[in-house]
Every structure is written in structure tokens, then in C-alpha cells.
């Protein structure tokens, strides 16, 4: 018995790992029925795999049998891999036992599509109901929506799950059509829109009625595979921006394509996943969500791709030197946030602390400002007087000379003597 | 001048009270554990007095919001010798200024407390993440830990709320006390271990029959979730520093 369950877990965890969503934050569920589990507002990462990604949820497929043949997916119909399927009780059992030992923060349940969408969605829903109703489990549940499942099933699932998601897969419709002719962005937009409407509706009801059940309290998310098709960074981030706006998504995940197929339409096996590009996209995503940048400022027709050698915030600053230097002791909070080397926490501390007196360099350093980077863009109480006005390109060279990027193995500023 | 106190929180608060009563000028606070007499410095031993301590604490509650009272408490739990002095200086600074003085991040004691609190909260969060319970044959979920700071008082509620329907014990091996949740309340306990016994986990014979299976399944899962093509050991170690590996079932 234990050998069979081990084999199943290996197959179905392996097939689920390309879904990068790991967050367990944003939930509001309390353990008020003396059961087990609750939500932690910021989420908890219980461990990290050797590739440095966090493990917060037990991320598994119910089955990797699938009727679709999407080229970018390991579980595609034509791929020669071992297939397996969990029973509903096996998933419940695993989740409860892992949770009780503090291994995990909850369950992330997805599935290949067997028979049809509704048949699959029903099974996923059954797992959630058993956990919530029979086991009195109040931990986190992230449920994947199955494209094409009926509205009734999705709505019912929303009553038990904390977060729901469905993947865009490719940043543009054209890219998706190339690799998965049976799928379209419309299949994703419909359920995202449906759930969003319901979230709004439940929130409206809550204003009038005291006890409204929770409906997807941690919101929705989606994921795009990058580097499998030839979209520019601009295409990717404009799509992400539109989805953040239209569906109030909590997160868009960018997953660097890990080659898993020999098809000539995709990068060949053995190609390194585009980790640096992925990193830059996440940085841009953060700038949009927490730093008040508009996507058009960071990526536009003149700059359709992000710089590889420097981060997008520094890159923006260098292109827009007319805004700098910024006076730390006078400038608006929003402008302080835009200074390279200053993050959200430091910016908040600066605006609080400057009420008590003009800030000096040593104080900025203690507050947590990365001064070597910020010094090119700020003035404060004891900034050294500077006659020369440096160009953006010069500042970039200064910063590059003293920073050691983990991605740049060879220092491009090193002169060659022989 | 040096003030010496017994290392307790009431002791620290009493020291503040004594300072305001005497106003002796600049004072450094040290705990008796690390105090070394100096030839030319005067010193004064604070006698802990719970009434005086309560008055100072009540005063702080009037001056500071909840988040800063917590930063204060966390800094105390850090048990770092310099933190005691910063706490002392911070408190006198707060009492001598208008309400809101704690947001002066240009002040060295304010920023010091913010930093200590951040470290302690991080350690607390790590314990919430890295603790792995073992299910014993008598139904108790047990773990032994040795956190960098004294975080048991901070994690108690989290585990009590989360695992409300199972008995658990979290034992701090370094500070030699633990918490036991008996399905109703959390109580402080001390265990007298037999010499040479592995305190981190119970012996195999005392384990629940299924414990081994789930530990193996978890290890399997941890391996399967890794994407070999993305290997990044530096990042891995940054997130899970080596000193925590001994807690983690998946790293054993």
C-alpha cells in the first residue's frame, strides 16, 4: 500500500511542479470550529527546494491523465510519461497528515482533464468539501479551475477554496494558438470574469447582511510561460497589466520555460531556463504593484525589452535623469519610492523621520537605504557638493563597476591588456 | 555611570523608574550576567520592584501604540546585551518627548529597536515555518527546537489557534522550557531528559505507527517538487540557513 502511494505522489507532484504559484497569503479563514488549521495573513513558506523556490502548499495533480495535447505541458496526451491518479480520500489523507505535522500551509490542487471538464471539476470540488466539512480543515486551499467547467461547479468551489486560478499559459493569443491549438485566451477570461463578478457580489452582500459565506477570500491569480514563444517583455507585461486591471488579480506569475519537449516550435531540450529574464519581469511586476510605476513608463515602443544588466527601476531612472537629484528632505513620498536603492520600508521611514530634523547620510544608511546606489540620485543634509552633472550612461557605468551581479559571470568593464 | 539589573523585563523597567527618580545624567544599563566592574566608573544595582515596573509599563502604554509595544517586547526577547541598554535609552527618550517620538528613525535607539524587533520577528516566523512535529504513540505532536532568540512566548498563540484539536509540545532545548497544549490551554513545562537521549525527536518505539510513512512521503514530495534544471544552491541556503536543517524532516 505504502509503495503505491509513494509512486503516485512522486508522479503527481512531479507533474504539478511547473505551476509556480506558491503563495499562501491573503486568506482570512479562522479556526473557529475547534478544527485544525487557519490562514496566516502573510502566508508561511515551510521549506525551500534546492532550486530556491518556496514550498508552502502540497502541490499536486489529482491525475496527470489528460485529453489535451498542449506542447508546453509535461502531461500532454502524446507525451510518454507514467500516468497515475489519486482517489479523493488519498488527497484528503495526505493533506491532513502533512498539515498536522506543520509540513505545509495547505493544499494546491490541480488536475489533468480526464473524460471532460465537469467530471474533473466535480472531483476537485469533492476534495475541498471533504476537507472543509468532514475534517473541519480551515487551512489554505488553492484550487485550479478547469477550463470549460460549468459556472455552478466553479461557484460552489469558490465557497470552499481560498484562492482560485486558471493559467493564461502564453502571454499572447498567437503564442497560445501556436503551441495549444485547442485552447484560447477566451477560455481563461470567462471563468476569471465569472469568479471576479461573484467576489464583487459577495462583498456587496456583506455590506447588507451580516453573515455571508466567504467566497475565494484570497482572490485569483494566473500564470504565463515565458521564453517558449517569441513575445517581447512589453507584450508580456502589457498582458499582465490588463489582467491585473480587468480581473483585480492578486498575482500574475511568470514561469521561465523549462524545456521538456523536442518539438521544433520550442526551445530545444537542454536550453537553460531564462532565469534572469524571469527575475526582471518580476521586478517590473513589483514596480507596477508597489512602487506606483505605470507599465508604459517601464516598457514602451522605444524600449520593448527590459535591460539585462541593470534592474528596471535603475533603468527607468537613467532614462529620466531630468527628475533627479531628489531632495530626500523635501520630496514627495511617491518620488522617494522611485529612487534606485530605496525600497518601500526605507521610503516610509524617511518620510516619518524627516519630521524630526533634516536627514544625513549616516542616518540614511542606518535606515536601510542602499546608499552607494542612491547617492547618484539624491541630495540630503550633508551631501557633498558636486559641480559636475553626470550623464545617465556615466552613472550606469559607476554603478556597474561596483556591483557584482550574480548573473554576469564576466565583468564587462574589465579592460583587456593582452 | 552604569546601572546593573537582573536581566528580567520588570528589572529593566524598574531601572527606568530609578533613573527618573535620581536623574543622574548619562547612564548605561547592563545585565548582571555580563557586568564587569570598572575601576573608575560608578555603578548602581537596581532592585527589581514590580510596582515600579508596572507604573513604567503603564506609562509606555500611554505613549506607544500596540506595534511599538510589540517591538519593545521583541527587542527584550532578543536577549542581546546591547539591546537592554538600547531599550533603556529608548524608554527614557520616549518619556522625555512628545507622543509620536518613536517614528524618529534618525534616532539611534529607535532604529536599533526596529532592527532587533525585525530579527526576532524573523526568527519567530522561521519557527512557525520550520518546526516539524512528530506524532508520538500517545497522541502528542512533539518537537524540540533551539531558536536564536527566546521566541516561545511569541509563537504560542499561532500554534494554539492552528492546531486546536491536537495535543502538542514545543520544547526550547537551549532555554530548557517548553509549551504544552492540552486541547484547552497552553502551559509552560520543563522536561528532565535522560542523559544521552535525542531531545529533538522521540525514540522510534515511542512513535505513532504512521509517523515513518508520512515522513518518507514528505521527503519524496520535497524531492519531486524540485526542478533540477533550475538548481540554485545559493538561494536555497539563503532561505533555509544550514543551522535550521536539523529541524527539517526533508533535510535529514
Amino acid at each position: 500500500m505504502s509503495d503505491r502511494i509513494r509512486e503516485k505522489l512522486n508522479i503527481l507532484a512531479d507533474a504539478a511542479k511547473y505551476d509556480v504559484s506558491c503563495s499562501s497569503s491573503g486568506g482570512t479563514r479562522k479556526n473557529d470550529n475547534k478544527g485544525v488549521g487557519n490562514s496566516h495573513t502573510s502566508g508561511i513558506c515551510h521549506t525551500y527546494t534546492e532550486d530556491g523556490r518556496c514550498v508552502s502548499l502540497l502541490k499536486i495533480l489529482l491525475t496527470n491523465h489528460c485529453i489535451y495535447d498542449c506542447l508546453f505541458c509535461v502531461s500532454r496526451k502524446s507525451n510518454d510519461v507514467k500516468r497515475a491518479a489519486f482517489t479523493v480520500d488519498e488527497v484528503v489523507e495526505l493533506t491532513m497528515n502533512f498539515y498536522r505535522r506543520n509540513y505545509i500551509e495547505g493544499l494546491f490542487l490541480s488536475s489533468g482533464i480526464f473524460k471532460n471538464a465537469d467530471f474533473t471539476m466535480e472531483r476537485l470540488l469533492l476534495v475541498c468539501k471533504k476537507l472543509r466539512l468532514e475534517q473541519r480543515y480551515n487551512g489554505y486551499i488553492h484550487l485550479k479551475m478547469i477550463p470549460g467547467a460549468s459556472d455552478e461547479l466553479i461557484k460552489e468551489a469558490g465557497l470552499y477554496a481560498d484562492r482560485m486560478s486558471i493559467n493564461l499559459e502564453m502571454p499572447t493569443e498567437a503564442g497560445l494558438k501556436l503551441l495549444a491549438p485547442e485552447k484560447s485566451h477566451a477560455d481563461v477570461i470567462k471563468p476569471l470574469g465569472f469568479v471576479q463578478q461573484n467576489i464583487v457580489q459577495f462583498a456587496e452582500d456583506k455590506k447588507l447582511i451580516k453573515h455571508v459565506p466567504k467566497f475565494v477570500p484570497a482572490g485569483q491569480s494566473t500564470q504565463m510561460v515565458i521564453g517558449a514563444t517569441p513575445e517581447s517583455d512589453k507584450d508580456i507585461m502589457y498582458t499582465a497589466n490588463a489582467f491585473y486591471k480587468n480581473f483585480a488579480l492578486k498575482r500574475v506569475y511568470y514561469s521561465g520555460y523549462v524545456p521538456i519537449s523536442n518539438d521544433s516550435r520550442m526551445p530545444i531540450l537542454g536550453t537553460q531556463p531564462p532565469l534572469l529574464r524571469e527575475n526582471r519581469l518580476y521586478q517590473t511586476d513589483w514596480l507596477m504593484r508597489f512602487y506606483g510605476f505605470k507599465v508604459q513608463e517601464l516598457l514602451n515602443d522605444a524600449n520593448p525589452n527590459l535591460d539585462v544588466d541593470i534592474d528596471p527601476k535603475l533603468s527607468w531612472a537613467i532614462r529620466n535623469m531630468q527628475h533627479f537629484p531628489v531632495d530626500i528632505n523635501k520630496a514627495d513620498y511617491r518620488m522617494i519610492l522611485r529612487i534606485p536603492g530605496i525600497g518601500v520600508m526605507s521610503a516610509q521611514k524617511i518620510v516619518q523621520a524627516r519630521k524630526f530634523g533634516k536627514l544625513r547620510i549616516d542616518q540614511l544608511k542606518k535606515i536601510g537605504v542602499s546608499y552607494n546606489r542612491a547617492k547618484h540620485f539624491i541630495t540630503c543634509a550633508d551631501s557633498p557638493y558636486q559641480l559636475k552633472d553626470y550623464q545617465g550612461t556615466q552613472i550606469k557605468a559607476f554603478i556597474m563597476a561596483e556591483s557584482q551581479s550574480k548573473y554576469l559571470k564576466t565583468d564587462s568593464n574589465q579592460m583587456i591588456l593582452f | 555611570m552604569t546601572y546593573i539589573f537582573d536581566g528580567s523585563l520588570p528589572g529593566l523597567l524598574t531601572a527606568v523608574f530609578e533613573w527618573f527618580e535620581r536623574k543622574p545624567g548619562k547612564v548605561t544599563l547592563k545585565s548582571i550576567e555580563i557586568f564587569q566592574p570598572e575601576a573608575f566608573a560608578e555603578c548602581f544595582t537596581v532592585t527589581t520592584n514590580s510596582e515600579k515596573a508596572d507604573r513604567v509599563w503603564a506609562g509606555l502604554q500611554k505613549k506607544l501604540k500596540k506595534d511599538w509595544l510589540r517591538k519593545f517586547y521583541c527587542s527584550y526577547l532578543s536577549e542581546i546585551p546591547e539591546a537592554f541598554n538600547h531599550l533603556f535609552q529608548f524608554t527614557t527618550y520616549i518619556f522625555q518627548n512628545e507622543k509620536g517620538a518613536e517614528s524618529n528613525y534618525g534616532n539611534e535607539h529607535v532604529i536599533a529597536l526596529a532592527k532587533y524587533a525585525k530579527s526576532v520577528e524573523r526568527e519567530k516566523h522561521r519557527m512557525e515555518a520550520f518546526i516539524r512535529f512528530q506524532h508520538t504513540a500517545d497522541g502528542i505532536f512533539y518537537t524540540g527546537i533551539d531558536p536564536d532568540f527566546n521566541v516561545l512566548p511569541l509563537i504560542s498563540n499561532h500554534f494554539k489557534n492552528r492546531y486546536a484539536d491536537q495535543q502538542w509540545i514545543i520544547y526550547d532545548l537551549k532555554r530548557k522550557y517548553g509549551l504544552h497544549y492540552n486541547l484547552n490551554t497552553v502551559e509552560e513545562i520543563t522536561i528532565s531528559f535522560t542523559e544521552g537521549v535525542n531531545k529533538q525527536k522521540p525514540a522510534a518505539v515511542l512513535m505513532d505507527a504512521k509517523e515513518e510513512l508520512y515522513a518518507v512521503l514528505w521527503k519524496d514530495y520535497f524531492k519531486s517538487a524540485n526542478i533540477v534544471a533550475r538548481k540554485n544552491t545559493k538561494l536555497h541556503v539563503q532561505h533555509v540557513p544550514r543551522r535550521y536543517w536539523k529541524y527539517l524532516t526533508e533535510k535529514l
Side-chain angles (χ1 to χ4, degrees):
Chain A
M1 145 62 190
S2 76
D3 284 346
R4 182 63 192 135
I5 190 95
R6 279 183 75 176
E7 194 188 4
K8 279 190 191 180
L9 181 62
N10 285 337
I11 295 172
L12 296 168
D14 189 84
K17 70 185 175 191
Y18 297 100
D19 220 306
V20 290
S21 165
C22 64
S23 103
S24 53
S25 59
T28 54
R29 220 169 280 276
K30 288 202 174 78
N31 185 5
D32 42 19
N33 55 356
K34 196 109 179 153
V36 67
N38 57 3
S39 294
H40 187 282
T41 31
S42 61
I44 300 176
C45 304
H46 283 272
T47 189
Y48 292 80
T49 48
E50 278 165 23
D51 52 20
R53 300 184 309 151
C54 91
V55 180
S56 180
L57 307 172
L58 169 63
K59 196 185 291 176
I60 46 173
L61 300 188
L62 190 59
T63 175
N64 63 344
H65 289 284
C66 194
I67 56 173
Y68 285 113
D69 204 26
C70 310
L71 263 182
F72 50 81
C73 178
V74 261
S75 304
R76 65 186 177 279
K77 190 170 57 182
S78 62
N79 201 15
D80 183 23
V81 289
K82 268 194 181 172
R83 305 281 166 172
F86 277 126
T87 64
V88 169
D89 286 329
E90 281 169 342
V91 176
V92 171
E93 196 76 345
L94 268 178
T95 310
M96 292 306 293
N97 276 292
F98 279 10
Y99 197 90
R100 286 191 181 284
R101 288 168 176 78
N102 206 36
Y103 295 165
I104 54 169
E105 204 48 26
L107 173 67
F108 175 112
L109 189 60
S110 179
S111 182
I113 299 171
F114 52 113
K115 279 193 187 165
N116 57 51
D118 271 355
F119 188 85
T120 313
M121 195 68 210
E122 262 172 33
R123 295 287 166 302
L124 299 184
L125 176 58
L126 199 59
V127 172
C128 297
K129 281 175 93 167
K130 279 211 166 185
L131 280 171
R132 293 281 190 237
L133 305 175
E134 283 179 16
Q135 303 285 334
R136 289 188 301 167
Y137 166 80
N138 302 304
Y140 197 86
I141 298 180
H142 179 145
L143 194 64
K144 279 248 110 79
M145 290 181 267
I146 302 299
S150 66
D151 286 354
E152 294 73 47
L153 284 174
I154 288 183
K155 189 166 177 183
E156 196 181 352
L159 294 170
Y160 301 103
D162 290 287
R163 170 166 290 181
M164 289 173 83
S165 68
I166 186 163
N167 288 349
L168 270 171
E169 309 296 8
M170 296 297 149
T172 58
E173 184 79 26
L176 186 62
K177 279 281 176 255
L178 182 70
L179 304 182
E182 302 152 299
K183 287 191 173 170
S184 78
H185 272 183
D187 299 341
V188 177
I189 289 169
K190 189 179 156 268
L192 279 180
F194 177 71
V195 171
Q196 173 58 15
Q197 270 170 25
N198 275 288
I199 292 177
V200 172
Q201 185 61 49
F202 273 76
E204 283 295 314
D205 290 353
K206 194 153 180 92
K207 287 180 192 159
L208 303 171
I209 311 164
K210 205 170 176 193
H211 294 290
V212 178
K214 286 189 194 311
F215 187 84
V216 199
Q220 302 192 87
S221 66
T222 192
Q223 169 177 323
M224 292 187 258
V225 176
I226 55 158
T229 44
E231 284 94 357
S232 68
D233 292 344
K234 180 181 158 233
D235 294 333
I236 297 169
M237 292 316 296
Y238 277 48
T239 303
N241 187 48
F243 275 81
Y244 274 127
K245 285 235 165 74
N246 299 338
F247 303 103
L249 293 186
K250 285 283 153 69
R251 285 291 296 273
V252 174
Y253 291 92
Y254 312 92
S255 162
Y257 175 68
V258 181
I260 43 159
S261 154
N262 258 329
D263 192 278
S264 60
R265 282 168 282 181
M266 310 230 285
I268 53 163
L269 282 177
T271 314
Q272 264 300 306
L275 298 184
L276 173 57
R277 187 176 181 205
E278 196 184 288
N279 182 221
R280 295 282 180 248
L281 289 171
Y282 276 113
Q283 287 174 324
T284 312
D285 186 281
W286 250 248
L287 291 178
M288 281 159 45
R289 292 191 298 137
F290 303 117
Y291 289 78
F293 281 92
K294 288 206 177 74
V295 68
Q296 293 82 357
E297 296 178 275
L298 301 164
L299 287 160
N300 44 47
D301 288 331
N303 309 284
N305 284 303
L306 297 165
D307 273 327
V308 178
D309 47 4
I310 52 171
D311 66 83
K313 193 179 180 188
L314 180 57
S315 169
W316 175 85
I318 283 170
R319 288 201 305 268
N320 295 278
M321 285 306 288
Q322 72 274 16
H323 298 303
F324 299 102
V326 168
D327 186 343
I328 285 291
N329 289 304
K330 287 190 187 137
D332 200 38
Y333 171 71
R334 281 171 303 177
M335 198 57 220
I336 292 182
L337 261 188
R338 290 183 168 230
I339 303 167
I342 298 185
V344 176
M345 296 308 272
S346 309
Q348 284 172 356
K349 284 192 178 122
I350 287 170
V351 290
Q352 289 187 43
R354 69 185 181 186
K355 290 179 197 154
F356 296 87
K358 287 202 165 180
L359 294 174
R360 301 179 309 268
I361 296 171
D362 65 305
Q363 289 171 310
L364 289 179
K365 283 182 181 167
K366 274 194 182 151
I367 279 173
V369 170
S370 160
Y371 185 74
N372 275 339
R373 178 165 287 230
K375 68 181 175 195
H376 304 288
F377 304 96
I378 60 168
T379 53
C380 57
D382 57 345
S383 285
Y385 184 68
Q386 204 175 357
L387 271 179
K388 202 162 176 237
D389 225 0
Y390 288 108
Q391 297 287 311
T393 43
Q394 288 171 300
I395 292 175
K396 179 175 166 180
F398 290 145
I399 291 176
M400 297 272 294
E402 54 192 38
S403 71
Q404 287 166 326
S405 170
K406 55 188 176 258
Y407 295 109
L408 297 172
K409 296 280 183 263
T410 48
D411 186 355
S412 53
N413 290 320
Q414 178 71 52
M415 282 202 294
I416 296 162
L417 284 178
F418 302 107
Chain B
M1 182 161 182
T2 309
Y3 272 21
I4 308 153
F5 81 120
D6 59 1
S8 71
L9 187 56
L12 195 151
L13 295 169
T14 310
V16 175
F17 190 97
E18 301 294 352
W19 187 84
F20 273 100
E21 207 158 66
R22 286 150 226 262
K23 292 274 178 66
K26 181 133 182 58
V27 154
T28 316
L29 182 74
K30 284 183 178 163
S31 85
I32 186 96
E33 263 177 74
I34 60 143
F35 175 68
Q36 305 249 319
E38 290 162 49
F40 301 103
E42 261 187 285
C43 64
F44 169 74
T45 308
V46 175
T47 321
T48 303
N49 176 320
S50 64
E51 267 171 46
K52 290 177 180 173
D54 286 347
R55 272 182 63 187
V56 173
W57 185 246
L60 267 182
Q61 281 177 316
K62 277 188 204 135
K63 282 276 195 176
L64 297 175
K65 291 209 192 83
K66 252 188 170 170
D67 58 332
W68 268 97
L69 288 172
R70 176 152 176 125
K71 285 197 175 89
F72 184 96
Y73 184 46
C74 285
S75 302
Y76 170 74
L77 292 178
S78 77
E79 300 172 333
I80 297 170
E82 298 85 61
F84 295 140
N85 185 44
H86 279 296
L87 279 165
F88 177 79
Q89 309 296 350
F90 173 82
T91 315
T92 55
Y93 164 75
I94 287 296
F95 282 134
Q96 287 175 315
N97 284 281
E98 294 285 304
K99 229 175 171 179
E102 72 280 8
S103 58
N104 181 8
Y105 286 96
N107 179 300
E108 60 166 322
H109 307 300
V110 172
I111 202 86
L113 251 67
K115 279 193 178 141
Y116 290 129
K118 194 176 164 192
S119 306
V120 173
E121 295 278 12
R122 190 197 292 126
E123 185 71 359
K124 167 216 167 236
H125 191 79
R126 277 178 174 153
M127 287 306 125
E128 287 171 358
F130 296 154
I131 276 178
R132 300 282 180 265
F133 286 120
Q134 274 105 17
H135 195 192
T136 60
D138 47 8
I140 295 176
F141 287 80
Y142 173 86
T143 189
I145 57 172
D146 56 351
D148 294 350
F149 310 117
N150 183 14
V151 293
L152 281 194
L154 298 175
I155 61 175
S156 168
N157 266 335
H158 168 80
F159 284 97
K160 177 176 176 250
N161 294 335
R162 173 161 292 199
Y163 300 109
D165 70 343
Q166 69 189 42
Q167 284 204 56
W168 50 259
I169 291 174
I170 300 172
Y171 204 79
D172 187 334
L173 301 167
K174 208 192 258 176
R175 294 169 189 82
K176 299 194 172 58
Y177 80 106
L179 302 174
H180 172 219
Y181 173 69
N182 58 12
L183 299 179
N184 288 310
T185 51
V186 178
E187 262 145 40
E188 221 176 279
I189 53 163
T190 48
I191 303 176
S192 39
F193 290 99
T194 338
E195 210 46 49
V197 74
N198 180 356
K199 299 168 191 162
Q200 191 124 22
K201 60 185 214 175
V205 285
L206 298 175
M207 217 78 98
D208 181 78
K210 286 273 181 74
E211 179 58 36
E212 182 76 39
L213 170 67
Y214 286 108
V216 170
L217 285 172
W218 174 241
K219 279 185 201 179
D220 286 353
Y221 174 73
F222 181 71
K223 262 187 226 127
S224 305
N226 181 36
I227 298 179
V228 181
R230 297 178 59 113
K231 188 176 164 71
N232 189 344
T233 312
K234 196 181 153 204
L235 187 61
H236 173 64
V237 176
Q238 191 180 318
H239 284 309
V240 195
R242 281 178 208 273
R243 65 181 182 282
Y244 300 104
W245 288 13
K246 59 180 180 290
Y247 301 144
L248 303 175
T249 315
E250 64 272 19
K251 294 300 267 180
L252 291 176

